[in-house]
Amino acid sequence: KWTTDDGRIMVNGQPLVLKGVNYFGFETETYAPHGIWDHNLNDMLDFIKDNNFNAIRVPFSMQMVRDNPVIMNVHCHNNPNLCGTSALRMLDLFIDRAAERGLLIVLDNHRTQSGGYISPPLWYNNSAGYPEDEVIRLWKHLVMRHKDQWNMFAIDLKNEPHDAATWSRTNRNTDWNQAAERMINALHEFPGLFFVGGIEWGGRFENADQYPIETGHAHLNERVVYSPHCYGPDVYDRSEFHVENTHEYAKNLDRIYTAKYGFLAEKGYPVVIGEWGGKAKPGTRDAKWNNWFVDWIRDKCMTNNFYWALNPNSGQTGGLLDDDWKTPIQHKLDLVNRAQPNPTKFKKHNKKICITKGT
């Protein structure tokens, strides 16, 4: 049973300690996790498990769910039983193999259309044939397919609302918080958690205290998780990253991020960082920011997180693996290990799931 309590995420009444990673590909033209064009999928999942992660955030597209095409660009010899598989069957296998390794899954509605398109600013895209009711229909299809899978613990309703997206009670067409409430009510049969990102590319929740997600049902409200995204100068350079005085740098960033979403944890709302990261090359501004960010989320008790990303082919951030999809990038692993050193562990044994508490 997944729920929240006084800002904590709970599994069977005990705190869940999350150390997650994003692994993308289903939202692209290949309709499959990246890297399996050369390597075995099991090796990717083993790397995640062996590096003490316990959860994967899996981006997908609504087009993938609607069209269910055959997956592309798979090394058939290295991935027996995957060639010629449909996208949804590939997702089934991915979730099953993650479960075998005790890895939780959150499905992330990352894009409307597959490929290199930036996610539309709102949760619907009428011009592309994805009005709100169609998005909800596709979500229902996906949820009903996986709702009984033990490790399918959460769904992320919409990746990074931005531009026209608002958080208020004034405009049904742009108020993302109201849309999230409608979507959660429509998906009430899903037994897991509902991740709700902020506006302005996932990072702003200033109005969430005045207008918290309110579904009208206590059993749904207690499964809502606020999921901000946050990046440093490698992704988007801002003036606050150029403050040279170490004390002023930390003080200024704390003020900015506390106002955007840090206050949520302070006020007892459940928070999971859905994306963070960067190349973080030692000696760079991005490394300085990443190290500060780890200190900050530890100080705020917001260390439940999903790092972006496993994939080395994420242009602005790179990944935990080098371009060969084999070599770990140790300074990044050190960052995530410091952010969350002791996550909850899951292991299937005699048809039961054994849970080892994290701290």
Side-chain angles (χ1 to χ4, degrees), residues 35-40 44 73-75 78-79 323-325:
I36 63 172
W37 46 63
D38 284 321
H39 304 287
N40 187 294
M44 301 291 132
N73 205 5
V74 181
H75 194 294
N78 287 341
N79 290 281
D323 290 341
D324 60 3
W325 288 86

Side-chain angles (χ1 to χ4, degrees), residues 224-242:
V224 171
V225 175
Y226 296 89
S227 188
H229 295 185
C230 199
Y231 289 101
D234 272 1
V235 173
Y236 189 84
D237 204 2
R238 298 175 184 270
S239 60
E240 57 262 29
F241 302 142
H242 292 262

Side-chain angles (χ1 to χ4, degrees), residues 103-121:
L103 298 170
L104 305 178
I105 295 291
V106 51
L107 294 181
D108 154 44
N109 172 18
H110 207 76
R111 292 177 181 156
T112 300
Q113 296 164 278
S114 297
Y117 306 98
I118 294 175
S119 179

Side-chain angles (χ1 to χ4, degrees), residues 60-68 88 107 109 112 123-125 128-146 155 157 179 182-190:
F60 69 91
S61 73
M62 283 296 166
Q63 183 180 354
M64 184 204 84
V65 181
R66 187 179 69 182
D67 297 348
N68 193 23
L88 291 179
L107 294 181
N109 172 18
T112 300
W123 58 96
Y124 59 91
N125 189 346
Y130 294 90
E132 180 178 309
D133 59 352
E134 175 67 356
V135 170
I136 290 174
R137 184 188 73 82
L138 294 170
W139 255 129
K140 281 185 178 179
H141 179 70
L142 205 55
V143 162
M144 296 306 293
R145 187 180 182 98
H146 298 293
I155 57 176
L157 296 172
R182 294 192 295 271
M183 294 169 79
I184 292 167
N185 274 301
L187 301 171
H188 63 90
E189 292 178 85
F190 177 63

Side-chain angles (χ1 to χ4, degrees), residues 57-343:
R57 182 171 177 261
V58 183
F60 69 91
S61 73
M62 283 296 166
Q63 183 180 354
M64 184 204 84
V65 181
R66 187 179 69 182
D67 297 348
N68 193 23
V70 173
I71 64 172
M72 302 171 64
N73 205 5
V74 181
H75 194 294
C76 296
H77 178 74
N78 287 341
N79 290 281
N81 306 320
L82 295 187
C83 279
T85 302
S86 73
L88 291 179
R89 179 57 183 153
M90 177 72 235
L91 185 58
D92 294 342
L93 294 168
F94 186 95
I95 295 171
D96 287 344
R97 294 187 188 186
E100 291 168 3
R101 293 160 174 81
L103 298 170
L104 305 178
I105 295 291
V106 51
L107 294 181
D108 154 44
N109 172 18
H110 207 76
R111 292 177 181 156
T112 300
Q113 296 164 278
S114 297
Y117 306 98
I118 294 175
S119 179
L122 300 173
W123 58 96
Y124 59 91
N125 189 346
N126 291 338
S127 62
Y130 294 90
E132 180 178 309
D133 59 352
E134 175 67 356
V135 170
I136 290 174
R137 184 188 73 82
L138 294 170
W139 255 129
K140 281 185 178 179
H141 179 70
L142 205 55
V143 162
M144 296 306 293
R145 187 180 182 98
H146 298 293
K147 71 181 182 70
D148 295 326
Q149 181 72 23
W150 75 265
N151 63 325
M152 250 291 296
F153 88 112
I155 57 176
D156 193 331
L157 296 172
K158 162 73 176 97
N159 184 64
E160 297 183 349
H162 56 277
D163 292 349
T166 52
W167 192 297
S168 186
R169 295 279 179 205
T170 58
N171 191 332
R172 179 186 174 93
N173 293 325
T174 64
D175 283 345
W176 163 230
N177 53 309
Q178 293 195 71
E181 292 164 357
R182 294 192 295 271
M183 294 169 79
I184 292 167
N185 274 301
L187 301 171
H188 63 90
E189 292 178 85
F190 177 63
L193 304 171
F194 300 95
F195 283 22
V196 180
I199 59 174
E200 196 186 276
W201 301 98
R204 295 188 62 175
F205 289 85
E206 286 96 334
N207 290 348
D209 192 37
Q210 182 181 3
Y211 304 112
I213 300 298
E214 175 52 68
T215 66
H217 303 281
H219 73 283
L220 295 177
N221 290 341
E222 69 179 7
R223 288 189 278 128
V224 171
V225 175
Y226 296 89
S227 188
H229 295 185
C230 199
Y231 289 101
D234 272 1
V235 173
Y236 189 84
D237 204 2
R238 298 175 184 270
S239 60
E240 57 262 29
F241 302 142
H242 292 262
V243 176
E244 297 301 329
N245 180 282
T246 300
H247 175 73
E248 289 301 316
Y249 180 88
K251 182 180 178 181
N252 193 39
L253 287 179
D254 173 67
R255 176 185 60 80
I256 292 169
Y257 291 165
T258 297
K260 286 184 175 182
Y261 64 86
F263 73 90
L264 290 168
E266 293 176 350
K267 294 195 173 188
Y269 293 99
V271 177
V272 172
I273 308 296
E275 292 183 17
W276 68 284
K279 294 179 181 178
K281 291 182 179 179
T284 64
R285 267 188 224 284
D286 198 67
K288 181 180 179 180
W289 179 87
N290 272 269
N291 279 286
W292 172 85
F293 186 72
V294 169
D295 291 338
W296 186 72
I297 61 175
R298 285 169 60 98
D299 184 62
K300 294 286 185 182
C301 294
M302 288 194 302
T303 54
N304 285 333
N305 74 88
F306 288 82
Y307 186 80
W308 187 278
L310 177 71
N311 310 50
N313 59 326
S314 177
Q316 294 173 304
T317 66
L320 292 176
L321 293 170
D322 215 334
D323 290 341
D324 60 3
W325 288 86
K326 288 183 178 180
T327 306
I329 298 180
Q330 192 58 48
H331 69 265
K332 293 189 175 189
L333 288 173
D334 291 343
L335 277 169
V336 294
N337 290 337
R338 190 160 65 85
Q340 193 67 285
N342 192 22

